Amino acid sequence: ATTDVLNALAFKPAVLSMLWDWFMCVSQPGKASVNEEDSLLTMFSLVYHHLLMTVDNAEFYEKEFPFALDQVRTMVGRLKGSVYTLYWDPPSSVVGKRLRASGTALLNRLFERNCFKEFVPPEAWQASDRHVNA
């Protein structure tokens, strides 16, 4: 049943970009609770990870489907900022644990793509003092 839901969301063209736009909108200070942000980012991570299993390198790099590479660079930074801190300050909520798992899976998938053909510099994947001391 989960795969059916992910298929329905991942292969509906506008859903993924709407999830990202929605997350970017509510992640502004004072716009939403942490749980709302985490829930949106979890859903985005699950759907994008699922879609990337079917997107070949030509679609990803040349057609820049489903997102432009500049946008993917931004996603890596935002996702890394949310996920890395969950390893230093482990979440107690189910939402936080799901975000850590789904966000890590998506970061791994994007890192694999980056290893094939770099679109994000290597230092962008590393934890900074901001992540360690958060």
Side-chain angles (χ1 to χ4, degrees), residues 20 23 41-42 44-45 48 72-86 99 102-108 110 125 131:
W20 180 251
F23 168 74
L41 195 52
T42 299
F44 174 81
S45 297
Y48 193 20
V72 177
R73 282 184 204 95
T74 301
M75 289 173 189
V76 167
R78 295 297 297 266
L79 190 59
K80 182 182 80 167
S82 295
V83 171
Y84 281 22
T85 56
L86 296 174
L99 173 56
S102 65
T104 299
L106 177 55
L107 281 170
N108 285 340
L110 291 170
W125 300 98
H131 299 110

Side-chain angles (χ1 to χ4, degrees), residues 17 70 81 131:
S17 62
D70 284 342
H131 299 110

Side-chain angles (χ1 to χ4, degrees):
T2 302
T3 303
D4 293 339
V5 172
L6 287 173
N7 284 336
L9 294 173
F11 299 109
K12 183 87 171 168
V15 170
L16 200 55
S17 62
M18 284 176 23
L19 282 171
W20 180 251
D21 291 344
W22 193 10
F23 168 74
M24 292 299 286
C25 180
V26 301
S27 67
Q28 303 302 317
K31 294 282 186 183
S33 71
V34 172
N35 273 347
E36 289 172 314
E37 285 182 41
D38 289 356
S39 295
L40 275 171
L41 195 52
T42 299
M43 178 61 76
F44 174 81
S45 297
L46 288 168
V47 174
Y48 193 20
H49 178 267
H50 187 74
L51 179 64
L52 283 175
M53 291 190 292
T54 65
V55 173
D56 68 17
N57 287 331
E59 289 175 301
F60 186 80
Y61 292 107
E62 295 164 22
K63 295 180 182 175
E64 296 192 6
F65 174 81
F67 295 105
L69 294 179
D70 284 342
Q71 206 171 2
V72 177
R73 282 184 204 95
T74 301
M75 289 173 189
V76 167
R78 295 297 297 266
L79 190 59
K80 182 182 80 167
S82 295
V83 171
Y84 281 22
T85 56
L86 296 174
Y87 281 95
W88 276 268
D89 186 19
S92 56
S93 70
V94 172
V95 172
K97 290 176 184 178
R98 286 185 180 154
L99 173 56
R100 185 174 63 187
S102 65
T104 299
L106 177 55
L107 281 170
N108 285 340
R109 178 81 57 195
L110 291 170
F111 183 75
E112 289 170 359
R113 294 288 175 126
N114 198 64
C115 289
F116 178 77
K117 183 177 177 185
E118 188 176 291
F119 60 94
V120 177
E123 59 275 4
W125 300 98
Q126 300 168 355
S128 66
D129 286 343
R130 183 177 64 90
H131 299 110
V132 176
N133 296 322

